[in-house]
Amino acid sequence: MLWTTAGVAVLGFLVALEIAARHYGEPGPITNQAREVVFAPASGPLLYASMALMMVVLTWRQRFVAAGVAVGIDVVFALVRWAAGAEMNFGNGALWVILGGAVVAVTRRTGPERVLLLKGVGLGLLLVAGRKTGDAWLLITSKTRPTVLDQYLASADHALGNPSWVAGRIVGATGSVGHRILDFVYVMLPVAAVVIAVWQLRKVAAERRFPRHHLVRTFLAVGLLGPAVYMVFPVVGPIFAYGDGAWGTGGGPWAVAHLWPHTLPTAGAPQDMPYDAFTPRNCMPSLHTAWAVVIFIHSRTGPRVLRWAGAVWLVATLTATLGFGYHYGVDLVAGVVFACTVEAGLRTFDRGLDWPGIRLVAYGATVFAGLLVSYRYLPVEMAAHPWVAGPLLLLAMASVVYGYTRTTRLWDPEAVPVPAPQARPQLSCPR
């Protein structure tokens, strides 16, 4: 019933987004996803990552067959597109395999086996739908929020030393090599999440059931809830609000001035500023930061290579979000608090709404709301007293992280090693 209810809710949400996107003259998430059955997909790696999630319910033999079918279909599509001179990309085969899994579940499986395969298909399709849903959300933010609050965040960011301006100069000094590496990390964040998730779900095929909690749940919840905050606090980011940036992109005539990343903006009298109708208002909070934090948290239970990968991806993502001028430093602080609060909320729900979890979620939500209020109504004071406001921001973030760590340690106590049995003394028999 839970999976059925979730499926109906997701379908209804997608239909609502489709209607909203159509209202603004653009195709919605359902239309965009349906096109990728035949036309070139927007992201081939994401479709193959989604197929990998679906295959956690299959045996190894079935996985090899499914992967081979996906690659074969993509080869056929590539040859047809090459002959027709159409846009080239891959990933259709992976989507066909996912949809084929649903057909097999309905027509060839019964009982628990059908349910398990449908869960795997649903998990893969949720990741695909999450990307299309995010695109629709961004379209809605650009159409419904004609003004942005970047000047407030730029003023509040003085309390943290304007990290986006500093990181922008550092990344710019690394040239095209540094830019390409960080861009790869930034774009491939969902694929990194799938790698961690596949490790967490590696026993599904053998145990024939999914674990109670895993990375994909939090990853999708962050992507679903975050855009709602975009609507409340619309922000386009430093590279769009304050200049041309290090690589020739920026806000053009809509920018306050061409300052980023070499000249710091002033901190006086911020105000709402009008902006174009197509740039997403997707900065507050930084969802890339939130997703990277979630990946880091879930990688802690893995082997050493995954723990290192989670840490490296977190650091590289934070560097990219600031160095590309996509976010202010205060966005990242809010993103960390947001990620810990959502993760705590899901784990609290799994535990039956126990009091420590409820208290942690309430505290995280309060801190997050306090951050938004301070960014909106106290940015000038924060800029005027950076040695007070900056440490307070970091302390608020650290308190949520500490609360999450302390609470989850109570939920997941470390296993106490069982002492090895001592050898019994040998009794000598009298001769």
Side-chain angles (χ1 to χ4, degrees), residues 141-427:
T141 62
S142 64
K143 299 296 184 182
T144 60
R145 293 297 180 265
T147 60
V148 296
L149 305 177
D150 283 76
Q151 294 185 32
Y152 295 89
L153 293 192
S155 297
D157 222 32
H158 281 69
L160 298 176
N162 302 99
S164 181
W165 270 255
V166 177
R169 292 194 294 269
I170 294 174
V171 173
T174 64
S176 61
V177 175
H179 179 270
R180 288 173 182 172
I181 293 174
L182 291 177
D183 183 65
F184 175 82
V185 171
Y186 193 84
V187 173
M188 291 296 154
L189 189 67
V191 178
V194 169
V195 172
I196 304 296
V198 168
W199 181 85
Q200 290 181 324
L201 302 175
R202 67 194 184 281
K203 296 181 180 180
V204 170
E207 298 177 354
R208 314 311 294 169
R209 64 180 180 87
F210 279 85
R212 182 71 174 174
H213 182 61
H214 50 82
L215 171 62
V216 180
R217 297 177 69 210
T218 312
F219 201 86
L220 293 173
V222 167
L224 179 65
L225 298 174
V229 186
Y230 293 166
M231 304 291 287
V232 177
F233 210 113
V235 182
V236 292
I239 195 172
F240 296 106
Y242 284 95
D244 290 337
W247 298 282
T249 59
W254 295 96
V256 179
H258 294 172
L259 303 177
W260 189 88
H262 301 291
T263 305
L264 295 179
T266 60
Q271 57 186 350
D272 297 13
M273 53 181 286
Y275 213 80
D276 63 39
F278 52 85
T279 301
R281 281 66 162 147
N282 62 338
C283 282
M284 176 57 65
S286 169
L287 291 195
H288 265 78
T289 297
W291 283 321
V293 169
V294 171
I295 290 174
F296 176 80
I297 290 173
H298 283 263
S299 69
R300 296 303 90 193
T301 59
R304 179 176 298 180
V305 63
L306 286 184
R307 295 198 301 269
W308 275 103
V312 170
W313 217 275
L314 174 61
V315 173
T317 300
L318 298 182
T319 304
T321 57
L322 293 173
F324 290 163
Y326 295 154
H327 289 283
Y328 303 90
V330 291
D331 300 345
L332 273 62
V333 172
V336 173
V337 174
F338 185 74
C340 292
T341 304
V342 173
E343 173 73 9
L346 291 175
R347 296 199 63 182
T348 299
F349 178 79
D350 293 338
R351 293 182 59 83
L353 303 177
D354 64 342
W355 173 242
I358 295 174
R359 184 170 53 195
L360 173 61
V361 173
Y363 178 70
T366 302
V367 171
F368 183 74
L371 291 175
L372 296 184
V373 171
S374 64
Y375 297 162
R376 178 62 178 82
Y377 296 105
L378 299 173
V380 177
E381 290 76 8
M382 294 170 66
H385 304 89
W387 292 105
V388 176
L392 285 178
L393 288 177
L394 297 179
L395 181 61
M397 179 186 71
S399 67
V400 176
V401 174
Y402 173 75
Y404 174 84
T405 304
R406 184 173 181 271
T407 304
T408 53
R409 282 179 178 174
L410 296 176
W411 291 341
D412 302 320
E414 296 182 2
V416 179
V418 179
Q422 297 180 353
R424 295 181 179 180
Q426 298 292 333
L427 299 179

Side-chain angles (χ1 to χ4, degrees), residues 49-76:
S50 300
M51 185 183 70
L53 278 181
M54 185 272 289
M55 291 196 300
V56 298
V57 304
L58 305 180
T59 64
W60 278 108
R61 179 180 177 277
Q62 293 169 339
R63 291 170 186 172
F64 284 121
V65 172
V69 170
V71 173
I73 293 174
D74 269 329
V75 169
V76 173

